[in-house]
Each structure stands twice: as C-alpha cells, then as structure tokens.
Amino acid sequence: INHIPSFDINERKLNTALINRISKNADTVELNEEFNANSLQMYKTLKAITAEYDFDLEFNETPDLKTILKAFDIKIDYERTFKIKDLLNWLEVIYELINPKLVIIVALSTYYNTEEILKFQSELKQKNWRILTLENKPIENRSVKQHIYDKDNCYITGPDV
C-alpha cells in the first residue's frame, strides 16, 4: 500500500477472490437447480428485449454463479472514512480472501497519528499477519520490531521492544 487514501476494499483482485469464495461455498445441487430455472427465465426475457435488433446476439442459457455475481456487480458494502479501523478492516478482507505472505505499507505515519498507530500495532499483535511498514522517520512503538537504515543504507540498531 503506497498511498493509504487510495486503498479500495473492492479492488479487482479482492472482488475476484470474493466471487470465487462465494461460488465455492455455494456449490450445491439445489442451488444450481434454482439458478438454472431462474437463468432460463432471464434468458427468455433478454431474448425478448433484444428481438428488435437485426443481428444475432448470443446468450449463455445457464451461466454459472461466478458469471451471475459478476453481472450483478457484487461488492463489499463499505463506507470508508480513512480511520485506522478502515485500514484494519481492509487488511482483514485481504487476509481472509487472498492471504498474502506480506503486506507492505508505506508512510503510515503520514496519514495516522501516534495514538492510531499504537492502536494499529496493538491490533496487529493479535493477528497472525505479516505487515512491513516503511517510514522515513522512527515511530513510537510498543510491540513491533523497528529496523532503522540511514541514507547510506547502513543498518542502525532499532529501539528494543
């Protein structure tokens, strides 16, 4: 994350992961039969709506659940306020859906005050997430390791946790 105000809980990669997860969890015979019955009705309706065109249109009579979810533009209903809880919620979604090995956040201290950063650190301590924050100055911490490098890329021992 290199620009915190621009993070989007409904970015394409997360949306695709959400659709895949829903499709996988909802794969039952009864549900597929219901979708097929409803899809046939929708197919007939679309054929009637598009009958006036002079060219042939092709429709999938039995789309799968992923296709239906994409057509309905499914998204996570979320109003972002740029508070630290929003960042934590976004990370929760990322780890739930795509489980990355590492998330890198650049300049956290630019967008959040010390109190919010300490809350962020406290929340991270309870999770099994790997988060790397890159800062241009030391930040107060109570529960995370800090490594400091100078402008010549020389390592300076960080404060003890």
Side-chain angles (χ1 to χ4, degrees):
I1 306 169
N2 61 7
H3 189 249
I4 289 174
S6 68
F7 73 81
D8 183 8
I9 204 164
N10 284 303
E11 71 180 17
R12 185 181 181 127
K13 187 173 185 176
L14 290 176
N15 205 350
T16 300
L18 175 65
I19 288 171
N20 290 338
R21 176 73 58 92
I22 291 170
S23 298
K24 181 180 172 187
N25 291 343
D27 193 20
T28 65
V29 173
E30 303 85 33
L31 193 58
N32 285 331
E33 288 174 0
E34 185 177 341
F35 277 129
N36 288 340
N38 289 330
S39 294
L40 184 58
Q41 182 59 44
M42 182 58 75
Y43 173 78
K44 290 177 183 177
T45 303
L46 289 172
K47 280 300 223 183
I49 291 171
T50 59
E52 66 185 61
Y53 294 102
D54 292 336
F55 45 86
D56 291 331
L57 295 172
E58 191 174 306
F59 296 98
N60 182 351
E61 292 182 46
T62 56
D64 62 359
L65 181 57
K66 286 182 187 178
T67 305
I68 293 168
L69 292 171
K70 287 178 188 174
F72 279 95
D73 197 25
I74 189 169
K75 294 190 182 327
I76 296 170
D77 186 16
Y78 188 74
E79 184 178 330
R80 188 173 66 205
T81 60
F82 298 111
K83 293 185 178 174
I84 202 72
K85 71 176 180 67
D86 293 324
L87 180 59
L88 288 164
N89 288 339
W90 187 73
L91 288 168
E92 186 82 45
V93 170
I94 286 175
Y95 276 93
E96 172 72 22
L97 295 176
I98 59 178
N99 197 21
K101 292 181 181 179
L102 177 70
V103 172
I104 300 171
I105 302 173
V106 178
L108 186 68
S109 63
T110 303
Y111 302 102
Y112 299 106
N113 64 34
T114 302
E115 181 182 323
E116 291 171 313
I117 291 172
L118 291 173
K119 178 182 178 187
F120 181 73
Q121 292 172 353
S122 173
E123 290 287 331
L124 289 183
K125 196 173 183 181
Q126 299 171 20
K127 308 285 185 183
N128 191 20
W129 299 343
R130 295 196 177 268
I131 307 287
L132 173 65
T133 61
L134 300 176
E135 301 291 336
N136 61 359
K137 62 183 179 187
I139 58 173
E140 182 180 338
N141 78 78
R142 297 202 179 122
S143 60
V144 297
K145 292 181 185 176
Q146 281 195 57
H147 303 282
I148 302 169
Y149 293 86
D150 68 9
K151 65 181 179 178
D152 298 324
N153 206 22
C154 294
Y155 177 69
I156 302 169
T157 304
D160 290 333
V161 178

